[in-house]
């Protein structure tokens, strides 16, 4: 049953339009990481299917960690893996509590991805970006740090 579930999910995976270009743009300037909840094997299979196994400088899957978002340890694990102080890190996510409140509580600067029919921006969001305008994210990041962090 698990294998069938993984196959069905894997075959249905489609990145948000513009995500691959955005990853490339961000990685040219910053170290980027992925923090994702779920079982390790399942999440890594998703990355493999998307062709993103090398897209990130660090990947932390919370299942093996035993600390799913919004647990502070999850955010500490990704900043540690990237070698970045939390206050110099931007965290981008769409879930108000797990992503935005969790990142803020751990000392990161959260940017909430918003979309039609989705949740309202969380008060802890340092910035927002529309899912249909992901290309504007690098500018939002630069705004959070003035001219942009050199070690984020």
């Amino acid at each position: 049953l698990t294998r069938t579930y993984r196959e069905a999910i894997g075959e249905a995976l489609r990145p948000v339009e513009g995500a691959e270009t955005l990853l490339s743009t961000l990685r040219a300037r910053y170290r980027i990481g992925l923090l994702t909840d779920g079982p390790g094997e399942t999440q890594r299979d998703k990355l493999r299917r998307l062709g993103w196994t090398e897209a990130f400088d660090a990947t932390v899957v919370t299942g093996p960690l035993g600390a799913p978002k919004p647990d502070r340890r999850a955010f500490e694990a990704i900043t540690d893996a990237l070698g970045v102080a939390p206050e110099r890190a931007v965290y981008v996510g769409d879930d108000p509590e797990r992503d935005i409140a969790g990142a803020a509580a751990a000392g990161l600067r959260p940017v909430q991805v918003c979309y039609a029919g989705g949740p309202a921006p969380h008060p802890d969001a340092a910035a927002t970006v529309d899912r249909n305008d992901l290309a504007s994210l690098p500018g939002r990041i630069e705004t959070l740090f003035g001219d942009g962090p050199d070690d984020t």
Side-chain angles (χ1 to χ4, degrees):
L1 183 61
T2 301
R3 192 173 22 253
T4 301
Y5 171 78
R6 270 195 212 124
E7 284 299 316
I9 293 296
E11 290 174 15
L13 283 176
R14 302 288 180 272
V16 172
E17 187 173 334
E20 291 167 342
T21 300
L22 176 62
L23 288 174
S24 177
T25 299
L26 290 173
R27 196 155 189 212
R29 178 144 188 211
Y30 307 105
R31 289 187 305 274
I32 62 171
L34 174 68
L35 175 61
T36 182
D37 285 337
E41 186 177 334
T42 300
Q43 299 305 81
R44 293 194 188 280
D45 182 58
K46 289 177 185 179
L47 290 172
R48 183 185 55 74
R49 287 175 182 269
L50 289 169
W52 290 3
T53 56
E54 302 297 320
F56 302 94
D57 296 298
T59 300
V60 172
V61 180
T62 64
L65 184 64
K69 300 178 282 183
D71 190 308
R72 162 181 227 96
R73 294 173 294 168
F75 296 96
E76 290 170 349
I78 193 62
T79 55
D80 287 351
L82 288 167
V84 176
E87 64 274 8
R88 294 295 296 162
V90 171
Y91 183 86
V92 180
D94 62 358
D95 186 285
E97 293 305 318
R98 290 179 26 223
D99 292 325
I100 305 308
L108 290 77
R109 298 180 194 196
V111 175
Q112 185 172 345
V113 177
C114 297
Y115 51 94
H122 191 281
D124 288 341
T128 61
V129 65
D130 190 277
R131 184 168 59 189
N132 292 323
D133 188 25
L134 291 177
S136 69
L137 181 60
R140 297 280 195 297
I141 292 170
E142 290 176 10
T143 299
L144 291 175
F145 290 93
D147 66 343
D150 53 68
D151 65 345
T152 302

